[in-house]
Amino acid sequence: MELLFIALGGAVLGLAARYALPGRMTHGAVLVPAIGTMVASVVWVALTWLGLPWNEGWIWWVTLGVTALASVAVDLALVRSRTDGDERMLHTLMRDGHPTRA
């Protein structure tokens, strides 16, 4: 049951990262929340395997902290990568004038 709550927390943190950071028009609406959900779930399971009890606060803080950092990092990397790719494509199209030539 706790894994469900932590997955929901990961999705909410992913949504917060998507809408709080600039450049959200460069990637899909559910990509960053899905990554947040995945990271939260994996970190939670890893920490439980390492022996942290689920009813103490540390596992919650560590999991949600790692999830927030990962969501922000992925969002910023996606925006940078997509913007760079769009600029390269524009440069190629302006230089060649034809979209099928590389």
Side-chain angles (χ1 to χ4, degrees):
M1 186 65 141
E2 291 76 22
L3 185 59
L4 182 62
F5 287 123
I6 209 69
L8 180 63
V12 169
L13 287 171
L15 275 171
R18 173 175 165 64
Y19 288 106
L21 298 172
R24 66 178 164 261
M25 301 306 263
T26 60
H27 52 80
V30 295
L31 182 60
V32 177
I35 290 171
T37 304
M38 181 198 63
V39 168
S41 300
V42 168
V43 170
W44 178 271
V45 169
L47 290 175
T48 57
W49 284 351
L50 289 174
L52 271 85
W54 61 267
N55 58 353
E56 288 186 9
W58 281 109
I59 193 169
W60 293 89
W61 285 110
V62 170
T63 301
L64 294 176
V66 169
T67 301
L69 291 174
S71 296
V72 167
V74 165
D75 188 270
L76 293 175
L78 283 170
V79 169
R80 186 177 325 117
S81 172
R82 184 63 184 258
T83 303
D84 291 346
D86 288 349
E87 287 177 9
R88 279 193 306 274
M89 177 61 79
L90 179 62
H91 177 71
T92 301
L93 291 174
M94 300 248 329
R95 181 179 40 119
D96 294 344
H98 196 278
T100 57
R101 285 192 224 155

mmCIF file of all heavy atoms in Angstrom, residues 53-72:
data_model
loop_
_atom_site.group_PDB
_atom_site.id
_atom_site.type_symbol
_atom_site.label_atom_id
_atom_site.label_comp_id
_atom_site.label_asym_id
_atom_site.label_seq_id
_atom_site.Cartn_x
_atom_site.Cartn_y
_atom_site.Cartn_z
ATOM 1 N N PRO A 53 12.970 0.683 7.371
ATOM 2 C CA PRO A 53 11.555 0.369 7.622
ATOM 3 C C PRO A 53 10.640 1.407 6.967
ATOM 4 O O PRO A 53 10.941 2.599 6.959
ATOM 5 C CB PRO A 53 11.441 0.410 9.149
ATOM 6 C CG PRO A 53 12.610 1.186 9.620
ATOM 7 C CD PRO A 53 13.668 1.080 8.581
ATOM 8 N N TRP A 54 9.534 0.944 6.439
ATOM 9 C CA TRP A 54 8.637 1.834 5.694
ATOM 10 C C TRP A 54 7.899 2.812 6.586
ATOM 11 O O TRP A 54 7.381 3.814 6.123
ATOM 12 C CB TRP A 54 7.627 1.021 4.879
ATOM 13 C CG TRP A 54 6.748 0.145 5.717
ATOM 14 C CD1 TRP A 54 6.968 -1.154 6.045
ATOM 15 C CD2 TRP A 54 5.533 0.522 6.354
ATOM 16 N NE1 TRP A 54 5.961 -1.617 6.844
ATOM 17 C CE2 TRP A 54 5.048 -0.597 7.054
ATOM 18 C CE3 TRP A 54 4.789 1.697 6.409
ATOM 19 C CZ2 TRP A 54 3.881 -0.582 7.784
ATOM 20 C CZ3 TRP A 54 3.616 1.711 7.136
ATOM 21 C CH2 TRP A 54 3.178 0.590 7.808
ATOM 22 N N ASN A 55 7.830 2.536 7.886
ATOM 23 C CA ASN A 55 7.058 3.401 8.778
ATOM 24 C C ASN A 55 7.907 4.465 9.479
ATOM 25 O O ASN A 55 7.439 5.110 10.407
ATOM 26 C CB ASN A 55 6.297 2.564 9.804
ATOM 27 C CG ASN A 55 7.218 1.694 10.634
ATOM 28 O OD1 ASN A 55 8.408 1.612 10.382
ATOM 29 N ND2 ASN A 55 6.633 1.016 11.614
ATOM 30 N N GLU A 56 9.141 4.643 9.043
ATOM 31 C CA GLU A 56 9.974 5.722 9.560
ATOM 32 C C GLU A 56 10.089 6.816 8.501
ATOM 33 O O GLU A 56 9.897 6.581 7.310
ATOM 34 C CB GLU A 56 11.361 5.201 9.930
ATOM 35 C CG GLU A 56 11.341 4.338 11.181
ATOM 36 C CD GLU A 56 12.728 3.936 11.625
ATOM 37 O OE1 GLU A 56 13.716 4.456 11.078
ATOM 38 O OE2 GLU A 56 12.819 3.088 12.519
ATOM 39 N N GLY A 57 10.420 8.004 8.936
ATOM 40 C CA GLY A 57 10.426 9.147 8.031
ATOM 41 C C GLY A 57 11.551 9.181 7.022
ATOM 42 O O GLY A 57 11.407 9.759 5.940
ATOM 43 N N TRP A 58 12.693 8.564 7.335
ATOM 44 C CA TRP A 58 13.845 8.681 6.443
ATOM 45 C C TRP A 58 13.580 8.104 5.061
ATOM 46 O O TRP A 58 14.007 8.677 4.055
ATOM 47 C CB TRP A 58 15.069 8.006 7.059
ATOM 48 C CG TRP A 58 15.700 8.865 8.087
ATOM 49 C CD1 TRP A 58 15.693 8.663 9.435
ATOM 50 C CD2 TRP A 58 16.390 10.090 7.865
ATOM 51 N NE1 TRP A 58 16.348 9.686 10.076
ATOM 52 C CE2 TRP A 58 16.791 10.584 9.126
ATOM 53 C CE3 TRP A 58 16.704 10.830 6.742
ATOM 54 C CZ2 TRP A 58 17.494 11.762 9.275
ATOM 55 C CZ3 TRP A 58 17.407 12.016 6.895
ATOM 56 C CH2 TRP A 58 17.795 12.464 8.143
ATOM 57 N N ILE A 59 12.926 6.979 4.996
ATOM 58 C CA ILE A 59 12.679 6.364 3.693
ATOM 59 C C ILE A 59 11.796 7.266 2.827
ATOM 60 O O ILE A 59 12.002 7.385 1.630
ATOM 61 C CB ILE A 59 12.088 4.947 3.847
ATOM 62 C CG1 ILE A 59 12.135 4.211 2.498
ATOM 63 C CG2 ILE A 59 10.687 4.984 4.420
ATOM 64 C CD1 ILE A 59 11.815 2.732 2.612
ATOM 65 N N TRP A 60 10.850 7.939 3.449
ATOM 66 C CA TRP A 60 9.973 8.846 2.718
ATOM 67 C C TRP A 60 10.742 10.065 2.223
ATOM 68 O O TRP A 60 10.609 10.479 1.073
ATOM 69 C CB TRP A 60 8.803 9.288 3.594
ATOM 70 C CG TRP A 60 7.867 8.161 3.924
ATOM 71 C CD1 TRP A 60 7.957 7.308 4.990
ATOM 72 C CD2 TRP A 60 6.741 7.746 3.167
ATOM 73 N NE1 TRP A 60 6.938 6.404 4.945
ATOM 74 C CE2 TRP A 60 6.165 6.645 3.834
ATOM 75 C CE3 TRP A 60 6.155 8.198 2.001
ATOM 76 C CZ2 TRP A 60 5.049 5.986 3.373
ATOM 77 C CZ3 TRP A 60 5.017 7.547 1.536
ATOM 78 C CH2 TRP A 60 4.480 6.455 2.219
ATOM 79 N N TRP A 61 11.540 10.682 3.117
ATOM 80 C CA TRP A 61 12.294 11.880 2.736
ATOM 81 C C TRP A 61 13.329 11.576 1.651
ATOM 82 O O TRP A 61 13.480 12.345 0.699
ATOM 83 C CB TRP A 61 12.981 12.490 3.958
ATOM 84 C CG TRP A 61 12.033 13.198 4.853
ATOM 85 C CD1 TRP A 61 11.632 12.806 6.098
ATOM 86 C CD2 TRP A 61 11.343 14.415 4.587
ATOM 87 N NE1 TRP A 61 10.732 13.708 6.612
ATOM 88 C CE2 TRP A 61 10.547 14.710 5.705
ATOM 89 C CE3 TRP A 61 11.320 15.289 3.499
ATOM 90 C CZ2 TRP A 61 9.735 15.833 5.772
ATOM 91 C CZ3 TRP A 61 10.513 16.418 3.580
ATOM 92 C CH2 TRP A 61 9.736 16.675 4.698
ATOM 93 N N VAL A 62 14.048 10.478 1.813
ATOM 94 C CA VAL A 62 15.074 10.131 0.825
ATOM 95 C C VAL A 62 14.428 9.827 -0.524
ATOM 96 O O VAL A 62 14.879 10.317 -1.568
ATOM 97 C CB VAL A 62 15.921 8.933 1.322
ATOM 98 C CG1 VAL A 62 16.822 8.407 0.223
ATOM 99 C CG2 VAL A 62 16.735 9.341 2.534
ATOM 100 N N THR A 63 13.371 9.037 -0.514
ATOM 101 C CA THR A 63 12.713 8.672 -1.768
ATOM 102 C C THR A 63 12.154 9.899 -2.481
ATOM 103 O O THR A 63 12.378 10.078 -3.684
ATOM 104 C CB THR A 63 11.580 7.661 -1.507
ATOM 105 O OG1 THR A 63 12.137 6.505 -0.884
ATOM 106 C CG2 THR A 63 10.888 7.267 -2.794
ATOM 107 N N LEU A 64 11.438 10.741 -1.773
ATOM 108 C CA LEU A 64 10.851 11.920 -2.416
ATOM 109 C C LEU A 64 11.916 12.940 -2.805
ATOM 110 O O LEU A 64 11.779 13.621 -3.831
ATOM 111 C CB LEU A 64 9.791 12.535 -1.508
ATOM 112 C CG LEU A 64 8.559 11.649 -1.281
ATOM 113 C CD1 LEU A 64 7.610 12.296 -0.283
ATOM 114 C CD2 LEU A 64 7.848 11.341 -2.586
ATOM 115 N N GLY A 65 12.996 13.035 -2.037
ATOM 116 C CA GLY A 65 14.091 13.942 -2.399
ATOM 117 C C GLY A 65 14.797 13.496 -3.667
ATOM 118 O O GLY A 65 15.060 14.312 -4.574
ATOM 119 N N VAL A 66 15.119 12.212 -3.751
ATOM 120 C CA VAL A 66 15.763 11.681 -4.959
ATOM 121 C C VAL A 66 14.827 11.826 -6.158
ATOM 122 O O VAL A 66 15.258 12.176 -7.260
ATOM 123 C CB VAL A 66 16.187 10.208 -4.750
ATOM 124 C CG1 VAL A 66 16.608 9.559 -6.056
ATOM 125 C CG2 VAL A 66 17.302 10.123 -3.732
ATOM 126 N N THR A 67 13.557 11.598 -5.945
ATOM 127 C CA THR A 67 12.584 11.728 -7.029
ATOM 128 C C THR A 67 12.493 13.165 -7.524
ATOM 129 O O THR A 67 12.450 13.406 -8.733
ATOM 130 C CB THR A 67 11.198 11.242 -6.563
ATOM 131 O OG1 THR A 67 11.305 9.886 -6.151
ATOM 132 C CG2 THR A 67 10.169 11.370 -7.661
ATOM 133 N N ALA A 68 12.463 14.116 -6.616
ATOM 134 C CA ALA A 68 12.406 15.528 -7.023
ATOM 135 C C ALA A 68 13.655 15.913 -7.808
ATOM 136 O O ALA A 68 13.556 16.562 -8.868
ATOM 137 C CB ALA A 68 12.253 16.419 -5.790
ATOM 138 N N LEU A 69 14.823 15.519 -7.324
ATOM 139 C CA LEU A 69 16.064 15.832 -8.039
ATOM 140 C C LEU A 69 16.096 15.177 -9.413
ATOM 141 O O LEU A 69 16.505 15.809 -10.404
ATOM 142 C CB LEU A 69 17.268 15.392 -7.209
ATOM 143 C CG LEU A 69 17.531 16.175 -5.933
ATOM 144 C CD1 LEU A 69 18.663 15.536 -5.143
ATOM 145 C CD2 LEU A 69 17.847 17.632 -6.252
ATOM 146 N N ALA A 70 15.676 13.927 -9.489
ATOM 147 C CA ALA A 70 15.682 13.225 -10.771
ATOM 148 C C ALA A 70 14.682 13.846 -11.745
ATOM 149 O O ALA A 70 14.980 13.997 -12.938
ATOM 150 C CB ALA A 70 15.359 11.747 -10.570
ATOM 151 N N SER A 71 13.513 14.231 -11.268
ATOM 152 C CA SER A 71 12.507 14.843 -12.142
ATOM 153 C C SER A 71 13.000 16.170 -12.704
ATOM 154 O O SER A 71 12.842 16.449 -13.902
ATOM 155 C CB SER A 71 11.198 15.050 -11.385
ATOM 156 O OG SER A 71 10.639 13.831 -11.001
ATOM 157 N N VAL A 72 13.624 16.978 -11.868
ATOM 158 C CA VAL A 72 14.152 18.262 -12.329
ATOM 159 C C VAL A 72 15.295 18.028 -13.315
ATOM 160 O O VAL A 72 15.353 18.670 -14.376
ATOM 161 C CB VAL A 72 14.612 19.122 -11.134
ATOM 162 C CG1 VAL A 72 15.438 20.312 -11.583
ATOM 163 C CG2 VAL A 72 13.407 19.584 -10.336
#
